[in-house]
Amino acid sequence: MATGFILKGQVLSFSGSPFDGERPEDAARLQEAVAVQDGRIAGAGTLAEMQALLPEAATVDHSGKLIMAGFVDAHVHYPQTAIIASWGKRLIDWLNSYTFPEEMRFADRAYADEIAARYLDLTAAHGTTTVCSYCTIHSESVDAFFAAAQARGQRVAAGKTCMDRNAPEGLRDTAQSAYDDSEALIGRWHGVDRLEYAITPRFSPTSTPEQLEAMGALWGKHPECLMQTHLSEQTDEIAWVRELFPQARDYLDTYEEFGLLGAKGLYGHAIHLEERERHRLRDYGAALIHCPTSNTFIGSGLFDMAGLMAEGQRIGLATDTGGGSSFSMLRTMAAAYEIGQLRGTPLHAAQLLWLATQGSATALRMDGKIGNIAAGMEADLAVLDLASTPAIAQRADRAEDVWEAVFPTIMMGDDRAISEVWIGGRRV
Ligand code: GUN
Ligand code: ZN
């Protein structure tokens, strides 16, 4: 048995959801040290307790810093890494102008390998230890991503993005090939090491009813998998879905009808929802994924975090790279805060940090494994320097409690605020 190690600092964990009680901070716990052994958290408590737990372990001193679970990014497109921050388009034009030409390049395995490695290096540098990614229609793009994550020992979910219409030649599969290729990938990757497969119909406009039906059948056969797609991101998109599916009651119905609504379903954006859609999503315990930097960057709208949380929806947080304008979950929390402000419902720092870890892990149904610090959980950790720039340091210096100390880093921090990252108990 390895001797393990101890990190000493301000160790943040959650005993519940900060959206449930009167005071968000009551769901959070701060302890002095965390002990790690064999890739898992051995415990958290006082330094003396951790030293008694692992007597042989060395202690790394991070006094003044915040030690927390690594960030969990619940909706990303790793193939869009190189086209992040592309100017001036709204959703459908943005897809056609920037995204589809770039995704075409992933037929080349060597290019997919290069971008997968670049993406995972960039996100790790920003403190992100788990992502749930769309790939492209090419199985090679999925193999490249899983292989890169496996080499890093990372827990990730990903899937082949399926499209059989309204996408250019070279970027379309068929109902049958999408089913067959996705199933082969499930067999190759799902449950291998820390990897999970997510069945991935891109969104209703790029799938025929036949393809959605095939994806629903595949999910029915493999209920162990996640299913990810997009829902009600922009009003123009919703109008297009209405034209393409005239008999559907609403956007969600285009998924529901084909067996693509379920508890392991992840619905990205979910901004402009109807009453019926909200009820159905909640009744199924499906997850809504909030992508705030994307929703402002592409001009999509203001997600109703407070209203949706109050009605008991399951919600994760995500960058949506490269529709999102950042790889950083700090920047993403800041955007979520700003959108809350625009709706008159500011989020507490404890709520933001929970969304970026345990909230997203719960959305991905990985909350028993990652997203928090507790004995037995996988040791994916980030150490945050709360004084990483002069501007942040001078504000944090005035703080009267930990929440006031961490909030400037949430609002103004970037990869410079990430002192150390641990994946599966290994420093990266
Ligand atoms: N809807 C369908 N595909 C995409 C995508 O790649 N990014 C975003 N933001 N929305 C989408
Ligand atoms: Zn997306």
Side-chain angles (χ1 to χ4, degrees):
M1 189 127 89
T3 50
F5 60 90
I6 295 166
L7 303 181
K8 174 182 178 290
Q10 298 191 84
V11 179
L12 172 69
S13 62
F14 290 95
S15 55
S17 166
F19 287 91
D20 285 348
E22 277 291 297
R23 289 167 17 106
E25 58 270 44
D26 289 347
R29 201 170 33 207
L30 285 158
Q31 290 165 298
E32 190 185 8
V34 56
V36 174
Q37 188 174 39
D38 296 328
R40 290 184 184 270
I41 312 278
T46 65
L47 181 60
E49 284 166 345
M50 294 307 103
Q51 285 169 339
L53 189 64
L54 298 184
E56 311 279 307
T59 298
V60 188
D61 190 355
H62 286 300
S63 294
K65 295 189 177 147
L66 191 72
I67 300 166
M68 59 179 293
F71 297 130
V72 180
D73 190 342
H75 178 127
V76 314
H77 299 254
Y78 96 83
Q80 299 170 12
T81 296
I83 56 133
I84 194 169
S86 291
W87 185 84
K89 306 280 184 195
R90 292 173 67 83
L91 179 59
I92 305 304
D93 289 343
W94 176 84
L95 284 171
N96 287 317
S97 307
Y98 301 121
T99 308
F100 289 160
E102 177 65 12
E103 291 193 7
M104 212 88 87
R105 300 181 64 177
F106 286 72
D108 174 5
R109 173 67 193 259
Y111 186 67
D113 285 335
E114 180 190 336
I115 299 296
R118 186 190 302 176
Y119 174 79
L120 288 174
D121 288 348
L122 279 167
T123 47
H126 285 86
T128 299
T129 49
T130 287
V131 302
C132 182
S133 187
Y134 289 64
C135 302
T136 66
I137 72 146
H138 315 96
S139 293
E140 294 86 343
S141 74
V142 185
D143 290 332
F145 187 71
F146 277 136
Q150 186 179 37
R152 288 163 173 75
Q154 264 182 281
R155 180 167 293 286
V156 300
K160 169 192 138 68
T161 297
C162 299
M163 301 194 273
D164 68 343
R165 67 166 161 178
N166 294 320
E169 179 66 36
L171 218 50
R172 289 193 305 268
D173 49 18
T174 66
Q176 189 64 47
S177 72
Y179 184 102
D180 294 342
D181 292 350
S182 299
E183 189 166 46
L185 288 161
I186 292 169
R188 197 139 75 234
W189 294 109
H190 184 77
V192 175
D193 295 337
R194 303 179 76 195
L195 312 175
E196 291 191 30
Y197 196 81
I199 294 166
T200 308
R202 181 175 216 122
F203 67 156
S204 295
T206 49
S207 288
T208 58
E210 293 70 34
Q211 184 169 72
L212 293 174
E213 190 177 11
M215 294 290 99
L218 183 66
W219 200 19
K221 191 168 166 198
H222 294 282
E224 70 279 14
C225 291
L226 294 162
M227 191 289 301
Q228 60 180 345
T229 191
H230 296 85
L231 176 67
S232 296
E233 180 176 359
Q234 289 210 337
T235 50
D236 291 357
E237 170 208 15
I238 296 167
W240 192 23
V241 169
R242 203 172 288 127
E243 277 171 35
L244 291 168
F245 297 86
Q247 70 297 5
R249 286 169 288 185
D250 44 48
Y251 195 156
L252 184 67
D253 202 29
T254 65
Y255 299 129
E256 189 175 349
E257 187 191 343
F258 298 111
L260 291 169
L261 174 58
K264 292 194 83 170
L266 309 165
Y267 302 85
H269 303 279
I271 302 168
H272 310 281
L273 297 176
E274 314 256 354
E275 266 316 293
R276 194 200 77 88
E277 297 176 295
R278 294 169 77 128
H279 286 139
R280 298 300 279 166
L281 288 160
R282 196 210 30 226
D283 291 349
Y284 274 84
L288 315 185
I289 310 300
H290 181 30
C291 307
T293 70
S294 172
N295 296 344
T296 51
F297 183 75
I298 308 187
S300 302
L302 306 179
F303 184 84
D304 180 17
M305 177 67 75
L308 290 162
M309 275 293 186
E311 68 191 35
Q313 303 280 3
R314 183 185 300 272
I315 300 174
L317 187 67
T319 59
D320 189 31
T321 315
S325 53
S326 175
F327 296 98
S328 167
M329 288 299 280
L330 290 171
R331 176 75 202 100
T332 302
M333 286 181 253
Y337 177 79
E338 288 162 352
I339 288 174
Q341 282 287 59
L342 287 168
R343 296 194 66 113
T345 50
L347 294 167
H348 189 276
Q351 294 174 322
L352 294 165
L353 292 167
W354 180 88
L355 280 168
T357 53
Q358 190 68 8
S360 283
T362 303
L364 299 179
R365 304 281 173 172
M366 297 176 181
D367 45 310
K369 299 181 178 127
I370 57 163
N372 204 359
I373 292 182
M377 294 189 73
E378 296 169 3
D380 293 346
L381 301 168
V383 181
L384 272 59
D385 177 358
L386 303 182
S388 60
T389 69
I392 295 172
Q394 62 88 36
R395 177 62 187 89
D397 206 37
R398 286 279 185 90
E400 301 202 341
D401 63 25
V402 67
W403 305 114
E404 210 182 327
V406 76
F407 192 59
T409 288
I410 290 175
M411 293 310 300
M412 299 193 283
D414 53 31
D415 49 339
R416 289 169 291 179
I418 310 299
S419 293
E420 270 186 10
V421 178
W422 300 77
I423 292 178
R426 279 210 329 244
R427 198 180 155 186
V428 293

